[in-house]
Amino acid sequence: MDKKYDFSKTEENLTKFWEQEGIYHYRNGRDRKIFSIDTPPPTVSGKLHIGHVFSYTQAEIIARFKRMQGYDVFYPFGFDDNGLPTERLVERDEKVRANTLPRSEFRSKCMETIGKYEEEFKNLWKRLGFSADWNLEYRTISDLSQKISQKSFLELAKSGKAYRKESPVLWCTECRTSIAQAELETRECRTIFHYLNFRTEAGDLLIATTRPELLAGCVCIFVHPDDPRYKGFAGRKAVVPLYDFEIPILTDDTVSMEKGTGAVMCATFGDSTDLEWYQRHKLPCKKIIMPDGTIHEAVPFIGGMKVKAARAHIAELLRGRGLLVKQEEMNHMVAVHERCGTETEFIPSEQWYIDVLSEKERFLKAADEIRWHPEHFKNRYTSWVENLKWDWCISRQRYFGVPFPVWYCKECHKPIFAEEKQLPVNPLESRPLRSCDCGCSDFIPETAVLDTWATSSVTTLINAGYGEENDITEQIFPMDMRCQAHDIIRTWTFYSVVKSIYHTGKTPWKDIMVSGFVFAKPGEKISKSKNNGAGSPMALIETHSADAVRYWAAGSKLGTDTFFSEEELKISKRFLNKLYNAAKFALMQLGDFEKTSTLEEIQLLPVDRWILQRVNETTIRAAELLNEYEIGQARHEIDTLFWRDFCDYYIEIAKERLYQPEKHGAAQRYSGQTCLYHSLLGILKLYAVYTPYITEYIYQDFYRKYETEISLHRTIWEIRKEDRLMLAFGEHLKGIISEVRKEKTEKQMSMKDTIPELVISCPEKFREWYRKSEMDIKACTGAVKILFQNFVM
């Protein structure tokens, strides 16, 4: 081994070696049982940050672990490169707006941009040592992905689960597209309650509203049926201030008697409550807000204005005409679009939906059929499903996405669906293969595109080549593991379950592994859109090594959030330096080692047997934890073995025996060499899933000439029969040595100083092992003489 470990050179060379030798290639389950992973395709919407490294590395560690348990790991990597997030990236980078360019020109810009970003993404994953099979790479905008996504839509339309209707829909006026409930976030903001009097025959009715710009859209007033203040108002008419038209006063038991004045104006549409009342009471709909965020031109006083400008103008008009009783500032929760932060509206529009409300019980049952890691995230999923209000709107009024494979008859407006042999199809560039049933052969193409989640939700089917010639659904489905962060449980998790249940009748995976966030500061998640990551991941890797970054990423309990600062990588680098030096010491003692016998054929000294048992015990415990996806706790177990037992105790105990065979005997030295060989190899295997480069480097430098596998990452974690008594002996011996070290420290002695006598109290069952270890103990403690006495239980 080199005097100093050169991580830059090593990591570059080993990445090439792994690719050339196909170390991580999936082998179609020919010789091994398959373990399949559904990896989240990162959205091509900006630069990757340390938060991505954190969550994706945790999943990659599981892929390596399963491979070293004997599985043929199906580990594809994809890129979610269509839809609104990608469009916004292109608009930002190219300084253009999609709606100002011909659709074909904008799509070309999108394809060019995503190619550049995807290459950067891929280079980062490779540089981190990700053991994905890049032959399985996919893109959600590729022809295959589009074909499978369109096929999914056609199957759902045929079964009646996908349908089109005109109704109020969640709308982002900034992105100018419909959105789904799962794309909402709530945000607290300062707003104003405007108190207005609505005239009635029973007297003035005082109402507080945060949205006076919707007065022209008022369709009724609601009061609670049990509110004694309004017993004489229900059933009457009220006159809308400023606009002077009448609206009915109705009752509804969902009205809060404590909020505002207890009387609420219902306009189309101020919020989701207005929408619920509109649907429940079959109210008329007035079009006030337009898709671009302006007020309809026909609305008096404010037509053509943006919403907030209209709100301020109406307030001034009300004040000027003496119609504004008072104003109060307040904190108010509003729904915003998660992509851009714009307050959302409800706008009547014709859209495509997938029915999810009628199957809520089945989707809740699916949660019980999946093993959740950590378990408590199951509650987030079930809470989301239980509280769903609307079906999933899957159409988006955007440009770069998977087209709907549908046209509409120009005469009767009936939808005409593409035939499967046409897929993938763009209705803007092609025609149906048949005429409409009414005889018309003129068609209007659907211009909307599918919600990006409508494609991302079929990643399991894309990976399987669903319905294609080389369909491997039977091999990998349901997939064994889905890995993801907890913020997309309501989107990627839920939508994937929906699609899988509808298409296969099964849940898409057996296990789901949910990672936490990395925060830039308290309460602020690191994200691509905020550009608040602490340095680029590639810069961190080039400065500190991929292994250092990976080791840090594996330090947290699964599902918990963490903070990151570059200072934390010092811990990783200290570990890597320790591992390298410990291996260098061990391999120096193995220069003349000949591996001629198996462990079972050699008479090992008790201390050697103990450390091998500790490696075995840790291997068992780490495997148990990793099978539960607790990578941080498993790493802690391995760290304890390496730092405390192997370095602090075993090497110090066996060191003289390895150095001085003339004093201890050749057979005793060979016992130590054999133990060093196997215990270090076992430790390298354990750490291989966390720090693949340095462990492979040590393996190639020494072990390759002895072992049959070309790479450490093709080896298997070996588990032998546990010897609990030998483990107990080791703990007892460590206690003795620890006491000697403590006493020397208290007396300010050097650890090399001799002590005249060491008295060891031990149970009879350890007596023979202690006698065989006497010379090791003397060498380690500096004891001139050792006395053994009975241990009183």
Side-chain angles (χ1 to χ4, degrees):
M1 291 174 64
D2 295 334
K3 184 176 181 180
K4 187 177 180 182
Y5 178 62
D6 183 346
F7 73 81
S8 296
K9 178 182 175 183
T10 298
E11 291 179 355
E12 181 182 357
N13 290 340
L14 287 178
T15 298
K16 292 176 182 177
F17 166 72
W18 293 332
E19 289 184 2
Q20 289 168 358
E21 297 297 332
I23 299 300
Y24 308 124
H25 285 179
Y26 173 61
R27 289 169 171 76
N28 301 308
R30 289 192 298 268
D31 307 313
R32 297 180 173 188
K33 185 179 177 182
I34 295 168
F35 186 86
S36 53
I37 301 173
D38 186 20
T39 308
T43 306
V44 182
S45 58
K47 300 283 187 180
L48 294 176
H49 52 70
I50 195 67
H52 294 100
V53 170
F54 178 71
S55 58
Y56 280 87
T57 299
Q58 291 183 352
E60 198 276 340
I61 286 168
I62 297 300
R64 287 186 175 277
F65 164 68
K66 290 296 183 178
R67 197 176 288 110
M68 296 184 81
Q69 301 306 296
Y71 287 93
D72 187 4
V73 177
F74 181 85
Y75 183 31
F77 236 93
F79 301 99
D80 193 7
D81 50 11
N82 77 87
L84 181 57
T86 301
E87 283 191 27
R88 290 181 65 83
L89 170 68
V90 174
E91 288 179 330
R92 187 173 69 243
D93 281 9
E94 298 292 322
K95 295 178 173 55
V96 297
R97 292 301 295 260
N99 60 357
T100 65
L101 296 175
R103 186 181 289 248
S104 59
E105 183 180 343
F106 183 70
R107 284 181 63 88
S108 295
K109 287 184 180 292
C110 288
M111 293 301 292
E112 182 180 339
T113 300
I114 64 175
K116 177 182 68 176
Y117 277 91
E118 286 170 7
E119 192 62 27
E120 289 181 11
F121 286 14
K122 189 172 177 179
N123 288 338
L124 176 62
W125 301 139
K126 286 186 174 183
R127 190 65 182 79
L128 275 165
F130 277 20
S131 60
D133 183 349
W134 293 101
N135 294 318
L136 304 174
E137 178 185 336
Y138 66 92
R139 306 164 73 197
T140 59
I141 200 64
S142 72
D143 285 351
L144 175 63
S145 295
Q146 290 195 55
K147 182 177 182 181
I148 290 174
S149 188
Q150 289 181 337
K151 189 188 304 181
S152 164
F153 168 76
L154 292 175
E155 287 183 11
L156 295 177
K158 185 177 181 180
S159 66
K161 291 300 182 184
Y163 64 92
R164 187 172 184 248
K165 72 172 182 178
E166 182 171 9
S167 68
V169 64
L170 277 166
W171 190 273
C172 176
T173 56
E174 167 65 23
C175 301
R176 300 190 185 184
T177 182
S178 57
I179 59 175
Q181 184 181 349
E183 295 170 74
L184 293 180
E185 290 180 349
T186 55
R187 179 180 298 165
E188 187 176 54
C189 66
R190 294 293 289 173
T191 190
I192 297 173
F193 249 153
H194 303 79
Y195 287 81
L196 316 172
N197 275 321
F198 285 64
R199 299 193 316 273
T200 78
E201 292 178 354
D204 287 346
L205 191 60
L206 187 63
I207 287 178
T209 178
T210 61
R211 303 205 62 177
E213 75 277 12
L214 293 179
L215 281 172
C218 280
V219 291
C220 73
I221 290 171
F222 280 108
V223 296
H224 195 283
D226 298 330
D227 194 330
R229 295 171 293 179
Y230 303 117
K231 288 295 184 184
F233 288 87
R236 294 180 181 272
K237 299 282 188 179
V239 177
V240 177
L242 198 63
Y243 290 94
D244 294 330
F245 59 85
E246 289 187 331
I247 55 174
I249 303 171
L250 306 176
T251 61
D252 192 289
D253 56 14
T254 62
V255 175
S256 170
M257 290 187 277
E258 291 75 33
K259 186 176 179 182
T261 65
V264 189
M265 77 177 208
C266 176
T268 53
F269 295 93
D271 57 20
S272 61
T273 304
D274 284 347
L275 175 59
E276 290 169 15
W277 286 335
Y278 160 79
Q279 293 172 333
R280 186 183 308 143
H281 295 274
K282 296 181 171 50
L283 299 171
C285 179
K286 296 183 177 181
K287 185 175 286 189
I288 304 297
I289 299 175
M290 303 302 290
D292 62 357
T294 61
I295 303 297
H296 194 289
E297 289 287 351
V299 176
F301 309 119
I302 54 175
M305 290 185 179
K306 287 287 188 179
V307 167
K308 289 188 177 179
R311 187 177 305 164
H313 187 63
I314 284 287
E316 284 302 313
L317 287 176
L318 291 167
R319 182 181 292 107
R321 300 190 184 191
L323 299 172
L324 186 61
V325 177
K326 65 175 180 176
Q327 291 178 312
E328 289 179 354
E329 282 200 8
M330 60 174 288
N331 288 327
H332 184 53
M333 300 302 294
V334 297
V336 300
H337 186 197
E338 64 173 358
R339 296 293 182 189
C340 63
T342 303
E343 293 181 26
T344 55
E345 303 287 355
F346 284 94
I347 292 179
S349 178
E350 198 161 29
Q351 304 289 341
W352 282 97
Y353 296 83
I354 290 178
D355 170 20
V356 294
L357 296 180
S358 70
E359 298 286 349
K360 284 171 70 169
E361 289 304 315
R362 178 64 186 95
F363 301 142
L364 288 169
K365 184 174 180 287
D368 297 326
E369 298 167 6
I370 298 167
R371 292 186 292 267
W372 295 78
H373 306 272
E375 172 70 22
H376 65 85
F377 281 120
K378 175 183 174 183
N379 296 332
R380 187 173 298 190
Y381 171 91
T382 55
S383 177
W384 173 254
V385 176
E386 287 167 353
N387 290 286
L388 281 170
K389 297 178 180 178
W390 309 296
D391 282 337
W392 175 16
C393 177
I394 59 167
S395 47
R396 297 291 181 270
Q397 286 60 52
R398 299 301 300 183
Y399 308 91
F400 187 59
V402 178
F404 277 86
V406 62
W407 301 261
Y408 305 100
C409 175
K410 204 166 186 178
E411 290 292 328
C412 68
H413 309 296
K414 176 183 176 182
I416 307 297
F417 297 104
E419 296 181 24
E420 190 171 328
K421 62 184 177 182
Q422 288 181 272
L423 307 183
V425 65
N426 184 347
L428 294 170
E429 300 172 356
S430 58
R431 291 172 51 82
L433 298 181
R434 62 179 181 85
S435 299
C436 179
D437 293 340
C438 73
C440 179
S441 57
D442 289 330
F443 303 98
I444 301 169
E446 173 63 81
T447 58
V449 296
L450 285 160
D451 172 17
T452 186
W453 290 113
T455 300
S456 302
S457 59
V458 291
T459 52
T460 52
L461 303 181
I462 291 170
N463 287 322
Y466 178 68
E468 296 300 296
E469 185 177 347
N470 297 317
D471 189 333
I472 57 170
T473 304
E474 293 300 317
Q475 282 184 32
I476 67 169
F477 199 89
M479 297 187 83
D480 291 284
M481 180 185 88
R482 151 69 66 87
C483 48
Q484 64 169 76
H486 55 67
D487 61 324
I488 52 175
I489 288 174
R490 64 183 186 178
T491 48
W492 198 35
T493 304
F494 174 63
Y495 293 149
S496 296
V497 169
V498 169
K499 287 290 194 83
S500 184
I501 294 296
Y502 282 160
H503 291 302
T504 72
K506 303 176 184 176
T507 57
W509 346 270
K510 300 170 186 173
D511 291 2
I512 184 166
M513 171 189 180
V514 184
S515 62
F517 284 154
V518 178
F519 285 95
K521 57 185 178 183
E524 183 177 303
K525 183 187 77 166
I526 292 177
S527 69
K528 292 195 288 288
S529 60
K530 292 178 181 177
N531 193 29
N532 57 354
S536 79
M538 190 63 83
L540 292 171
I541 292 168
E542 290 172 350
T543 303
H544 303 286
S545 80
D547 280 341
V549 174
R550 290 175 61 99
Y551 187 82
W552 162 78
S556 299
K557 182 175 174 59
L558 181 66
T560 58
D561 299 333
T562 189
F563 293 92
F564 173 77
S565 74
E566 202 165 341
E567 283 291 305
E568 296 190 48
L569 295 179
K570 288 182 178 179
I571 298 171
S572 301
K573 293 168 79 171
R574 178 171 168 259
F575 156 71
L576 293 169
N577 188 56
K578 183 73 171 180
L579 179 61
Y580 190 76
N581 288 335
K584 190 161 62 172
F585 166 81
L587 300 185
M588 283 173 61
Q589 314 312 313
L590 297 176
D592 59 347
F593 176 68
E594 295 183 8
K595 187 185 175 187
T596 57
S597 307
T598 64
L599 278 174
E600 292 72 23
E601 296 170 336
I602 301 170
Q603 291 296 314
L604 297 174
L605 290 181
V607 172
D608 298 333
R609 290 171 57 193
W610 162 70
I611 193 62
L612 289 171
Q613 275 296 314
R614 275 293 292 125
V615 173
N616 188 62
E617 179 186 40
T618 302
T619 302
I620 293 171
R621 180 61 182 145
E624 290 172 349
L625 288 166
L626 287 168
N627 278 322
E628 293 298 317
Y629 306 97
E630 288 291 354
I631 63 168
Q633 292 183 56
R635 202 204 79 185
H636 176 73
E637 293 283 340
I638 302 166
D639 285 343
T640 300
L641 163 70
F642 171 67
W643 285 93
R644 189 180 67 182
D645 294 326
F646 185 73
C647 294
D648 290 352
Y649 284 98
Y650 178 71
I651 286 179
E652 294 303 315
I653 293 170
K655 188 160 54 178
E656 186 184 275
R657 174 157 44 101
L658 293 163
Y659 285 156
Q660 300 180 38
E662 67 281 1
K663 178 179 178 180
H664 290 262
Q668 288 75 7
R669 178 173 184 258
Y670 188 73
S671 172
Q673 286 181 307
T674 302
C675 174
L676 266 185
Y677 180 96
H678 289 283
S679 59
L680 178 60
L681 180 57
I683 289 169
L684 291 177
K685 288 181 180 181
L686 293 173
Y687 276 129
V689 303
Y690 297 98
T691 54
Y693 286 108
I694 193 169
T695 51
E696 179 78 290
Y697 172 83
I698 296 167
Y699 181 87
Q700 294 296 331
D701 184 79
F702 177 77
Y703 284 98
R704 179 66 187 91
K705 59 180 176 284
Y706 294 103
E707 299 295 318
T708 57
E709 292 293 351
I710 191 173
S711 167
L712 175 66
H713 304 296
R714 288 264 190 93
T715 63
I716 304 296
W717 285 14
E718 294 181 52
I719 294 178
R720 295 182 172 83
K721 184 179 179 181
E722 279 194 286
D723 187 338
R724 304 306 305 176
L725 193 59
M726 181 56 70
L727 289 166
F729 165 72
E731 289 303 308
H732 191 272
L733 174 58
K734 281 163 50 183
I736 299 295
I737 294 171
S738 178
E739 284 299 315
V740 172
R741 289 173 174 174
K742 180 182 177 183
E743 186 173 343
K744 284 186 175 183
T745 300
E746 290 172 350
K747 292 180 178 179
Q748 297 184 332
M749 297 171 63
S750 167
M751 290 299 151
K752 295 180 180 178
D753 289 347
T754 60
I755 55 176
E757 185 178 85
L758 175 61
V759 178
I760 297 178
S761 297
C762 66
E764 184 63 34
K765 59 187 177 182
F766 295 156
R767 183 64 59 85
E768 184 60 27
W769 289 340
Y770 266 111
R771 292 199 182 282
K772 290 182 178 180
S773 306
E774 187 170 348
M775 290 187 71
D776 280 344
I777 298 170
K778 284 181 177 180
C780 180
T781 63
V784 175
K785 182 180 180 182
I786 295 179
L787 296 178
F788 297 100
Q789 64 181 31
N790 290 333
F791 178 78
V792 180
M793 298 295 289

